[in-house]
Coordinates of all heavy atoms in Angstrom, one line a residue:
M1 N -55.3 -27.6 -21.5 CA -54.7 -27.0 -22.6 C -53.4 -26.3 -22.2 O -53.3 -25.8 -21.1 CB -55.7 -26.0 -23.3 CG -57.0 -26.6 -23.8 SD -56.7 -27.7 -25.2 CE -57.1 -26.6 -26.6
T2 N -52.5 -26.3 -23.1 CA -51.2 -25.6 -22.9 C -51.0 -24.5 -23.8 O -51.3 -24.6 -25.0 CB -50.1 -26.7 -23.1 OG1 -50.3 -27.8 -22.2 CG2 -48.7 -26.1 -22.9
A3 N -50.5 -23.4 -23.3 CA -50.3 -22.2 -24.2 C -49.0 -22.4 -25.0 O -48.0 -22.9 -24.5 CB -50.2 -20.9 -23.3
L4 N -49.0 -21.9 -26.2 CA -47.8 -22.0 -27.0 C -47.7 -20.7 -27.9 O -48.6 -20.3 -28.5 CB -47.9 -23.2 -28.0 CG -46.9 -23.3 -29.1 CD1 -45.5 -23.6 -28.5 CD2 -47.3 -24.3 -30.1
T5 N -46.5 -20.1 -27.9 CA -46.2 -19.0 -28.7 C -45.2 -19.4 -29.8 O -44.2 -20.1 -29.5 CB -45.6 -17.8 -28.0 OG1 -46.6 -17.4 -27.0 CG2 -45.4 -16.6 -28.9
L6 N -45.5 -19.1 -31.1 CA -44.6 -19.4 -32.2 C -44.0 -18.1 -32.7 O -44.8 -17.1 -32.8 CB -45.4 -20.1 -33.3 CG -46.0 -21.5 -33.0 CD1 -46.8 -21.9 -34.2 CD2 -44.9 -22.5 -32.7
N7 N -42.8 -18.1 -33.1 CA -42.2 -17.0 -33.8 C -42.1 -17.5 -35.3 O -41.6 -18.6 -35.6 CB -40.7 -16.7 -33.3 CG -40.7 -16.1 -31.9 OD1 -41.7 -15.4 -31.6 ND2 -39.7 -16.3 -31.2
I8 N -42.7 -16.7 -36.2 CA -42.9 -17.1 -37.5 C -42.2 -16.1 -38.5 O -42.4 -14.9 -38.4 CB -44.4 -17.1 -37.8 CG1 -45.1 -18.0 -36.8 CG2 -44.7 -17.6 -39.2 CD1 -46.6 -17.9 -36.8
S9 N -41.5 -16.7 -39.5 CA -40.8 -15.9 -40.5 C -41.7 -15.8 -41.8 O -42.5 -16.7 -42.0 CB -39.5 -16.5 -40.9 OG -38.7 -16.7 -39.7
G10 N -41.5 -14.8 -42.5 CA -42.0 -14.7 -43.9 C -43.4 -14.1 -44.0 O -44.0 -14.1 -45.1
M11 N -44.0 -13.7 -42.8 CA -45.3 -13.1 -42.9 C -45.2 -11.6 -43.1 O -44.3 -10.9 -42.6 CB -46.0 -13.3 -41.5 CG -46.3 -14.7 -41.2 SD -47.0 -14.9 -39.5 CE -48.7 -14.3 -39.8
S12 N -46.0 -11.1 -44.0 CA -45.9 -9.6 -44.4 C -47.2 -8.9 -44.5 O -47.2 -7.7 -44.6 CB -45.2 -9.5 -45.7 OG -45.9 -10.2 -46.7
C13 N -48.3 -9.6 -44.5 CA -49.6 -8.9 -44.7 C -50.8 -9.7 -44.1 O -50.6 -10.8 -43.5 CB -49.8 -8.6 -46.1 SG -50.2 -10.1 -47.1
G14 N -52.0 -9.1 -44.3 CA -53.2 -9.8 -43.7 C -53.4 -11.1 -44.3 O -54.0 -12.0 -43.7
H15 N -53.0 -11.3 -45.6 CA -53.1 -12.6 -46.2 C -52.3 -13.7 -45.5 O -52.8 -14.8 -45.2 CB -52.7 -12.6 -47.7 CG -52.5 -13.9 -48.3 ND1 -53.6 -14.6 -48.8 CD2 -51.5 -14.7 -48.4 CE1 -53.1 -15.8 -49.2 NE2 -51.9 -15.9 -49.0
C16 N -51.1 -13.3 -45.1 CA -50.3 -14.2 -44.4 C -50.9 -14.6 -43.0 O -50.9 -15.7 -42.6 CB -48.9 -13.6 -44.1 SG -48.0 -13.2 -45.6
V17 N -51.4 -13.6 -42.4 CA -52.1 -13.8 -41.1 C -53.2 -14.8 -41.2 O -53.4 -15.7 -40.5 CB -52.6 -12.5 -40.5 CG1 -53.5 -12.7 -39.2 CG2 -51.4 -11.6 -40.1
G18 N -54.0 -14.6 -42.3 CA -55.2 -15.5 -42.6 C -54.7 -16.9 -42.9 O -55.3 -17.9 -42.4
A19 N -53.6 -17.0 -43.6 CA -53.1 -18.4 -44.0 C -52.6 -19.1 -42.8 O -52.8 -20.3 -42.6 CB -52.0 -18.2 -45.1
V20 N -51.8 -18.4 -41.9 CA -51.3 -19.0 -40.7 C -52.4 -19.4 -39.8 O -52.4 -20.5 -39.2 CB -50.3 -18.1 -40.0 CG1 -50.0 -18.6 -38.6 CG2 -49.1 -17.9 -40.9
K21 N -53.4 -18.5 -39.7 CA -54.6 -18.8 -38.8 C -55.3 -20.1 -39.3 O -55.6 -21.0 -38.5 CB -55.6 -17.6 -38.9 CG -56.2 -17.3 -37.6 CD -57.2 -16.0 -37.8 CE -56.5 -14.8 -37.3 NZ -57.3 -13.6 -37.4
Q22 N -55.5 -20.2 -40.6 CA -56.1 -21.4 -41.1 C -55.3 -22.7 -40.9 O -55.8 -23.7 -40.6 CB -56.4 -21.3 -42.7 CG -57.6 -20.5 -43.0 CD -58.0 -20.7 -44.4 OE1 -57.2 -21.0 -45.3 NE2 -59.4 -20.6 -44.7
A23 N -54.0 -22.6 -41.1 CA -53.1 -23.7 -40.9 C -53.1 -24.2 -39.5 O -53.2 -25.4 -39.2 CB -51.7 -23.3 -41.3
L24 N -53.2 -23.3 -38.6 CA -53.2 -23.6 -37.2 C -54.6 -24.2 -36.8 O -54.6 -25.3 -36.1 CB -53.0 -22.4 -36.3 CG -51.5 -21.9 -36.3 CD1 -51.4 -20.5 -35.7 CD2 -50.6 -22.9 -35.5
A25 N -55.6 -23.6 -37.3 CA -57.0 -24.1 -37.0 C -57.2 -25.5 -37.5 O -58.1 -26.2 -37.0 CB -58.0 -23.1 -37.5
A26 N -56.5 -25.9 -38.5 CA -56.7 -27.2 -39.2 C -56.0 -28.3 -38.4 O -56.2 -29.5 -38.7 CB -56.1 -27.2 -40.6
V27 N -55.2 -28.0 -37.4 CA -54.5 -29.0 -36.6 C -55.4 -29.5 -35.5 O -55.8 -28.7 -34.6 CB -53.1 -28.5 -36.1 CG1 -52.4 -29.5 -35.3 CG2 -52.3 -27.9 -37.2
P28 N -55.7 -30.8 -35.4 CA -56.5 -31.3 -34.3 C -55.9 -31.0 -33.0 O -54.7 -31.2 -32.8 CB -56.6 -32.8 -34.6 CG -56.3 -32.9 -36.1 CD -55.3 -31.8 -36.4
G29 N -56.7 -30.6 -32.0 CA -56.2 -30.3 -30.7 C -55.7 -28.9 -30.4 O -55.2 -28.6 -29.4
V30 N -55.8 -28.0 -31.5 CA -55.3 -26.7 -31.4 C -56.4 -25.7 -31.4 O -57.4 -25.8 -32.2 CB -54.3 -26.3 -32.6 CG1 -54.0 -24.9 -32.6 CG2 -53.1 -27.2 -32.5
Q31 N -56.3 -24.7 -30.5 CA -57.3 -23.6 -30.5 C -56.5 -22.3 -30.7 O -55.6 -22.0 -29.9 CB -58.0 -23.6 -29.1 CG -59.0 -22.4 -28.9 CD -59.4 -22.3 -27.4 OE1 -59.8 -23.4 -26.8 NE2 -59.3 -21.2 -26.8
V32 N -56.8 -21.6 -31.7 CA -56.1 -20.4 -32.0 C -56.5 -19.2 -31.1 O -57.7 -18.8 -31.1 CB -56.3 -20.0 -33.5 CG1 -55.4 -18.7 -33.8 CG2 -55.9 -21.1 -34.4
D33 N -55.6 -18.6 -30.4 CA -55.9 -17.4 -29.6 C -55.7 -16.1 -30.4 O -56.5 -15.3 -30.5 CB -55.0 -17.4 -28.4 CG -55.5 -18.2 -27.2 OD1 -56.7 -18.7 -27.4 OD2 -54.8 -18.4 -26.2
A34 N -54.5 -16.0 -31.0 CA -54.2 -14.7 -31.7 C -53.1 -15.0 -32.7 O -52.1 -15.8 -32.5 CB -53.7 -13.7 -30.7
V35 N -53.2 -14.4 -33.9 CA -52.2 -14.4 -34.9 C -51.9 -13.0 -35.4 O -52.8 -12.3 -35.6 CB -52.6 -15.3 -36.1 CG1 -51.5 -15.3 -37.2 CG2 -52.9 -16.7 -35.7
A36 N -50.6 -12.7 -35.4 CA -50.2 -11.3 -35.9 C -49.0 -11.6 -36.8 O -48.5 -12.7 -36.8 CB -49.9 -10.4 -34.8
I37 N -48.5 -10.6 -37.5 CA -47.4 -10.8 -38.4 C -46.2 -11.1 -37.5 O -45.8 -10.4 -36.6 CB -47.1 -9.5 -39.2 CG1 -48.2 -9.3 -40.3 CG2 -45.7 -9.5 -39.9 CD1 -48.2 -8.0 -41.0
G38 N -45.6 -12.3 -37.8 CA -44.4 -12.7 -37.1 C -44.7 -13.5 -35.8 O -43.7 -14.1 -35.2
T39 N -45.9 -13.7 -35.4 CA -46.1 -14.4 -34.2 C -47.5 -15.0 -34.1 O -48.5 -14.5 -34.8 CB -45.9 -13.5 -32.9 OG1 -46.0 -14.3 -31.8 CG2 -46.9 -12.4 -32.9
A40 N -47.7 -16.1 -33.4 CA -49.0 -16.7 -33.2 C -49.0 -17.3 -31.8 O -48.0 -17.8 -31.3 CB -49.3 -17.8 -34.2
V41 N -50.2 -17.1 -31.1 CA -50.4 -17.7 -29.8 C -51.6 -18.7 -29.9 O -52.7 -18.3 -30.4 CB -50.7 -16.6 -28.8 CG1 -50.9 -17.2 -27.4 CG2 -49.6 -15.6 -28.8
V42 N -51.4 -19.9 -29.4 CA -52.4 -20.9 -29.5 C -52.5 -21.6 -28.1 O -51.6 -21.5 -27.3 CB -52.2 -22.0 -30.6 CG1 -52.1 -21.3 -31.9 CG2 -51.0 -22.8 -30.3
Q43 N -53.6 -22.3 -27.9 CA -53.7 -23.3 -26.8 C -53.8 -24.7 -27.5 O -54.4 -24.8 -28.5 CB -55.0 -23.1 -26.0 CG -55.2 -21.7 -25.5 CD -54.4 -21.3 -24.3 OE1 -54.1 -22.2 -23.5 NE2 -54.1 -20.1 -24.1
Y44 N -53.1 -25.6 -26.9 CA -53.2 -27.0 -27.5 C -53.3 -28.1 -26.4 O -52.9 -27.8 -25.3 CB -52.0 -27.3 -28.4 CG -50.7 -27.5 -27.7 CD1 -50.2 -28.7 -27.5 CD2 -49.9 -26.4 -27.3 CE1 -48.9 -28.9 -26.9 CE2 -48.7 -26.6 -26.7 CZ -48.2 -27.8 -26.5 OH -47.0 -28.0 -25.8
D45 N -53.8 -29.2 -26.8 CA -54.0 -30.3 -26.0 C -52.8 -31.2 -26.1 O -52.6 -31.9 -27.2 CB -55.3 -31.1 -26.4 CG -55.4 -32.3 -25.5 OD1 -54.6 -32.6 -24.6 OD2 -56.5 -33.0 -25.8
P46 N -51.9 -31.3 -25.1 CA -50.7 -32.1 -25.2 C -50.9 -33.6 -25.5 O -50.0 -34.3 -25.9 CB -49.9 -31.8 -23.9 CG -50.7 -30.7 -23.3 CD -52.0 -30.7 -23.8
A47 N -52.1 -34.0 -25.2 CA -52.4 -35.5 -25.4 C -52.7 -35.7 -26.9 O -52.7 -36.9 -27.3 CB -53.6 -35.9 -24.6
T48 N -53.0 -34.7 -27.6 CA -53.4 -34.8 -29.0 C -52.2 -34.4 -30.0 O -52.1 -35.0 -31.0 CB -54.6 -33.9 -29.3 OG1 -55.6 -34.3 -28.4 CG2 -55.1 -34.1 -30.8
V49 N -51.5 -33.4 -29.6 CA -50.5 -32.8 -30.6 C -49.3 -32.2 -29.8 O -49.5 -31.9 -28.6 CB -51.3 -31.7 -31.4 CG1 -51.6 -30.5 -30.6 CG2 -50.5 -31.4 -32.7
T50 N -48.2 -32.1 -30.5 CA -47.0 -31.5 -29.9 C -46.7 -30.1 -30.4 O -47.2 -29.8 -31.5 CB -45.8 -32.4 -30.1 OG1 -45.5 -32.4 -31.6 CG2 -46.0 -33.8 -29.7
A51 N -46.0 -29.4 -29.6 CA -45.6 -28.0 -30.1 C -44.8 -28.1 -31.4 O -45.0 -27.3 -32.3 CB -44.7 -27.3 -29.0
E52 N -44.0 -29.1 -31.6 CA -43.2 -29.2 -32.8 C -44.1 -29.5 -34.0 O -43.9 -29.0 -35.1 CB -42.2 -30.4 -32.6 CG -41.0 -30.1 -31.7 CD -41.5 -30.0 -30.2 OE1 -42.5 -30.6 -29.8 OE2 -40.8 -29.3 -29.5
R53 N -45.1 -30.3 -33.8 CA -46.1 -30.6 -34.9 C -46.9 -29.4 -35.3 O -47.1 -29.2 -36.5 CB -47.1 -31.7 -34.3 CG -48.1 -32.1 -35.3 CD -47.6 -33.0 -36.4 NE -48.5 -33.2 -37.5 CZ -48.8 -32.3 -38.4 NH1 -48.1 -31.1 -38.4 NH2 -49.7 -32.5 -39.4
I54 N -47.2 -28.5 -34.3 CA -47.9 -27.3 -34.6 C -47.0 -26.4 -35.4 O -47.4 -25.8 -36.4 CB -48.4 -26.6 -33.3 CG1 -49.4 -27.5 -32.6 CG2 -49.0 -25.3 -33.6 CD1 -49.7 -27.1 -31.1
A55 N -45.7 -26.2 -35.0 CA -44.8 -25.4 -35.7 C -44.6 -25.9 -37.2 O -44.6 -25.1 -38.2 CB -43.5 -25.3 -35.0
Q56 N -44.6 -27.2 -37.3 CA -44.4 -27.8 -38.6 C -45.6 -27.5 -39.6 O -45.4 -27.3 -40.7 CB -44.3 -29.4 -38.5 CG -43.9 -30.1 -39.8 CD -42.6 -29.6 -40.4 OE1 -41.6 -29.5 -39.6 NE2 -42.5 -29.2 -41.6
A57 N -46.8 -27.5 -39.0 CA -48.0 -27.2 -39.8 C -47.9 -25.8 -40.4 O -48.3 -25.6 -41.5 CB -49.3 -27.4 -38.9
V58 N -47.4 -24.9 -39.6 CA -47.2 -23.5 -40.1 C -46.1 -23.5 -41.2 O -46.2 -22.8 -42.2 CB -46.9 -22.5 -38.9 CG1 -46.6 -21.1 -39.5 CG2 -48.1 -22.5 -38.0
A59 N -45.0 -24.2 -40.9 CA -43.9 -24.2 -41.8 C -44.4 -24.8 -43.2 O -44.0 -24.4 -44.2 CB -42.8 -25.1 -41.3
D60 N -45.2 -25.9 -43.1 CA -45.7 -26.5 -44.3 C -46.5 -25.5 -45.2 O -46.6 -25.7 -46.4 CB -46.6 -27.7 -44.0 CG -45.8 -28.9 -43.4 OD1 -44.6 -28.9 -43.5 OD2 -46.4 -29.8 -42.9
E61 N -47.1 -24.5 -44.5 CA -47.8 -23.5 -45.2 C -46.9 -22.5 -45.9 O -47.4 -21.6 -46.6 CB -48.8 -22.8 -44.2 CG -50.0 -22.1 -44.9 CD -50.9 -23.1 -45.6 OE1 -51.0 -24.2 -45.2 OE2 -51.5 -22.7 -46.6
G62 N -45.6 -22.6 -45.6 CA -44.7 -21.7 -46.2 C -44.1 -20.6 -45.3 O -43.4 -19.7 -45.8
Y63 N -44.4 -20.7 -44.0 CA -43.9 -19.8 -43.1 C -43.1 -20.5 -42.0 O -43.7 -21.0 -41.0 CB -45.1 -19.0 -42.4 CG -46.0 -18.3 -43.4 CD1 -47.2 -19.0 -43.8 CD2 -45.6 -17.2 -44.0 CE1 -48.0 -18.4 -44.7 CE2 -46.5 -16.5 -45.0 CZ -47.7 -17.2 -45.3 OH -48.5 -16.6 -46.2
P64 N -41.7 -20.4 -42.1 CA -40.9 -21.1 -41.1 C -41.3 -20.7 -39.7 O -41.3 -19.5 -39.4 CB -39.5 -20.7 -41.5 CG -39.6 -20.4 -42.9 CD -41.0 -19.8 -43.1
A65 N -41.5 -21.6 -38.8 CA -42.0 -21.3 -37.5 C -41.1 -22.0 -36.4 O -40.7 -23.2 -36.6 CB -43.4 -21.7 -37.3
V66 N -40.8 -21.3 -35.3 CA -40.1 -21.9 -34.2 C -40.9 -21.7 -32.9 O -41.5 -20.6 -32.8 CB -38.7 -21.4 -34.1 CG1 -37.8 -21.8 -35.3 CG2 -38.6 -19.9 -33.9
V67 N -40.8 -22.6 -32.0 CA -41.4 -22.4 -30.7 C -40.7 -21.4 -30.0 O -39.4 -21.4 -29.8 CB -41.4 -23.8 -29.9 CG1 -42.0 -23.6 -28.6 CG2 -42.2 -24.8 -30.7
A68 N -41.4 -20.4 -29.5 CA -40.7 -19.2 -28.7 C -40.4 -19.7 -27.3 O -41.2 -20.4 -26.7 CB -41.6 -18.0 -28.7
G69 N -39.4 -19.1 -26.8 CA -39.0 -19.3 -25.4 C -38.8 -20.8 -25.1 O -39.1 -21.2 -24.0
Ligands
CU1 CU1 -48.9 -11.7 -46.8

């Protein structure tokens, strides 16, 4: 598994945290470590999914996300 940190825009409350958590958990090959307002940390299987695909899943939920660092 590979660690990935996302910087996420548009999150403002616990609802947003829950929505981002769910969006990440729904992506095959992703294990959610931590989600907070503005950021998420996950582990993912590079054979199954890419960092860009994970960021896109969060963006599709309405929270523009970019891979950190
Ligand atoms: Cu919210």
Side-chain angles (χ1 to χ4, degrees):
M1 298 293 262
T2 301
L4 170 68
T5 300
L6 295 174
N7 291 332
I8 305 169
S9 306
M11 296 176 73
S12 60
C13 69
H15 168 81
C16 301
V17 171
V20 168
K21 218 177 258 182
Q22 275 198 332
L24 287 167
V27 181
V30 173
Q31 175 192 313
V32 181
D33 276 354
V35 178
I37 291 171
T39 186
V41 181
V42 304
Q43 307 281 332
Y44 71 99
D45 177 1
T48 304
V49 70
T50 63
E52 288 69 26
R53 178 75 192 79
I54 297 167
Q56 188 60 48
V58 176
D60 288 349
E61 201 63 30
Y63 306 99
V66 295
V67 177

